[in-house]
Amino acid sequence: MQHTWALIGFGGMGGWHYSNIKSRLPELNTKGAYDIRPEALKSAEEKGLYPYSSLDELLADKEVDLVTIATPNNFHKDLAIACLNAGKNVICEKPVTLNSAELEEIIAASEMNGKLFSIHQNRRWDRDYCIIKEIVASGVIGKPYFIESRVQGSRGSMHGWRNHKVNGGGMLLDWGVHLIDQMMNLIDSPVVSVNAHLLKLFGSDVDDNIKLMLRFENGVSALLEMSTNCFINLPRWHMSCTDGTAIIEDWSCKGKMVKLNTNAEMAWDDEIVYTEAGPTRTMVPRPKTSLTELPLPDVSSDWSDYYKNILGVLDGEAELIVKPAQALRVMKVIDLLFKSEEEGHGLACRI
């Protein structure tokens, strides 16, 4: 079935959506774009898109059945509801809204109009994350119990509108929503406590360097860190499991797994052993014969698979992968993380 697509917002992410779709999903008919900035409309027109002169003109276009919203975060709710009420299926950039209450309004509009609504959580298709998912699913190094996930940079403050609270800026709503979505998609268990350290190093308006702790009901704990002032990066992923450890160093997915050999003997000496850590028994290195180093699993992934899933759902051939109910859980956790920072301590929950 042929579907016709339009964009609201033709800035950095809007332009990325267009380029990605044009090169990888030629079966999706890309028609036009709307943006309040004349220079953005001119850019869209130069790329061969129809420049809608107003939101109403786009909403009235009966040919368009799918709209992607790629505007600053504070406009997402009203634009999504307007599109759904006009009979359009909607994809919204993350974070879908500024809080869970706004998202509930969009979900209600989606259900009332019987239209698809999804959130562009493209980083579920990141290769590093897909590797971690495969390790957990395979059980090759046992069950995870502590997972560290980090995105670290050194360019200082947030860029552009992401540096303004009124636009829904800040690291928690920018990268935090990605890492939280990944973790909650990875661990099939309710979140039972959260703790946030949201620092504002480069201004007083939004958080720019943050650490988040999530505890899941099944016993898994996660540490999520995002920074703009880090000059010696830690690994992108470090996952401790019952039978081994996995590490992914960076975005290039360099890394390895170390697995315990179940049949290897490991005796404890009666005497204290002197190591570089001083006199200790606990921190004496294991015998090398008790460990096996394994390569990371080889996986392939593509961000365009998100849109392929959307088209499959519209054609009745697939189940929606990024569901509104999942996004609502993530936004409820984010609401609580902001509250944790305000109150200065961790908070119990069951989300």
Side-chain angles (χ1 to χ4, degrees):
M1 183 184 300
Q2 181 70 56
H3 297 281
T4 299
W5 175 63
L7 280 151
I8 298 178
F10 204 72
M13 281 307 300
W16 178 87
H17 279 276
Y18 167 71
S19 298
N20 190 47
I21 294 300
K22 182 180 179 181
S23 63
R24 302 190 183 193
L25 274 84
E27 64 269 30
L28 180 57
N29 177 38
T30 305
K31 182 171 183 180
Y34 169 66
D35 198 296
I36 61 173
R37 299 166 302 151
E39 65 273 19
L41 280 182
K42 182 179 179 181
S43 174
E45 188 173 18
E46 289 172 349
K47 289 177 170 62
L49 295 173
Y50 176 76
Y52 292 98
S53 60
S54 67
L55 176 62
D56 288 341
E57 184 186 9
L58 188 156
L59 297 180
D61 189 341
K62 300 299 183 183
E63 187 179 2
V64 172
D65 67 332
L66 178 63
V67 176
T68 293
I69 298 170
T71 66
N73 304 330
N74 55 311
F75 298 110
H76 288 177
K77 186 196 80 169
D78 290 344
L79 289 170
I81 291 174
C83 289
L84 291 164
N85 288 342
K88 313 297 186 188
N89 300 293
V90 175
I91 294 168
C92 188
E93 257 302 333
K94 62 81 206 171
V96 57
T97 51
L98 303 187
N99 53 60
S100 60
E102 289 187 349
L103 177 52
E104 287 174 335
E105 292 184 51
I106 298 177
I107 293 173
S110 171
E111 293 173 348
M112 180 181 69
N113 291 288
K115 291 298 175 180
L116 176 146
F117 175 70
S118 184
I119 302 88
H120 187 239
Q121 286 289 4
N122 57 307
R123 293 195 175 274
R124 289 196 196 178
W125 283 266
D126 279 2
R127 184 164 175 259
D128 59 283
Y129 176 61
C130 291
I131 290 171
I132 289 293
K133 281 189 70 177
E134 175 61 26
I135 294 171
V136 172
S138 71
V140 64
I141 54 174
K143 295 180 180 180
Y145 59 88
F146 195 86
I147 307 174
E148 300 175 38
S149 171
R150 292 181 173 87
V151 175
Q152 297 173 304
S154 59
R155 295 182 67 90
S157 62
M158 307 290 290
H159 176 70
W161 60 261
R162 291 173 178 81
N163 202 31
H164 301 288
K165 185 176 181 179
V166 67
N167 295 130
M171 188 60 78
L172 179 51
L173 287 172
D174 186 32
W175 271 98
V177 70
H178 276 310
L179 269 60
I180 295 167
D181 178 76
Q182 287 182 339
M183 197 62 63
M184 293 178 70
N185 185 246
L186 179 69
I187 306 302
D188 185 19
S189 181
V191 177
V192 293
S193 71
V194 304
N195 199 331
H197 291 216
L198 310 182
L199 304 183
K200 300 175 181 178
L201 295 186
F202 299 101
S204 59
D205 209 24
V206 298
D207 53 290
D208 48 39
N209 288 265
I210 69 176
K211 288 182 186 286
L212 316 172
M213 281 292 301
L214 306 182
R215 184 185 295 272
F216 292 85
E217 192 171 66
N218 66 356
V220 176
S221 290
L223 169 64
L224 312 179
E225 180 178 357
M226 290 132 275
S227 57
T228 62
N229 197 49
C230 182
F231 304 96
I232 303 175
N233 287 359
L234 290 166
R236 171 70 185 90
W237 292 90
H238 188 282
M239 182 166 66
S240 299
C241 298
T242 51
D243 300 320
T245 303
I247 186 171
I248 300 178
E249 296 286 355
D250 49 32
W251 295 109
S252 70
C253 296
K254 297 175 183 176
K256 62 182 178 181
M257 293 183 287
V258 174
K259 178 180 172 62
L260 293 173
N261 295 332
T262 54
N263 297 325
E265 294 184 5
M266 189 184 73
W268 289 87
D269 293 329
D270 290 334
E271 297 182 0
I272 293 291
V273 179
Y274 287 84
T275 71
E276 292 181 350
T280 179
R281 286 194 182 95
T282 306
M283 295 304 167
V284 173
R286 294 180 65 97
K288 291 183 178 180
T289 55
S290 70
L291 302 172
T292 298
E293 185 173 309
L294 301 172
L296 295 174
D298 185 20
V299 302
S300 60
S301 60
D302 192 324
W303 281 3
S304 65
D305 287 346
Y306 171 85
Y307 272 97
K308 291 177 183 176
N309 175 248
I310 294 295
L311 295 182
V313 174
L314 292 178
D315 291 341
E317 300 172 351
E319 179 184 350
L320 187 63
I321 293 176
V322 183
K323 300 176 176 63
Q326 295 171 335
L328 186 58
R329 284 186 69 217
V330 170
M331 290 311 303
K332 286 182 177 180
V333 166
I334 288 177
D335 288 347
L336 208 59
L337 285 164
F338 278 122
K339 185 177 180 182
S340 168
E341 171 62 24
E342 290 173 5
E343 297 187 4
H345 56 78
L347 298 171
C349 60
R350 194 174 189 278
I351 299 173

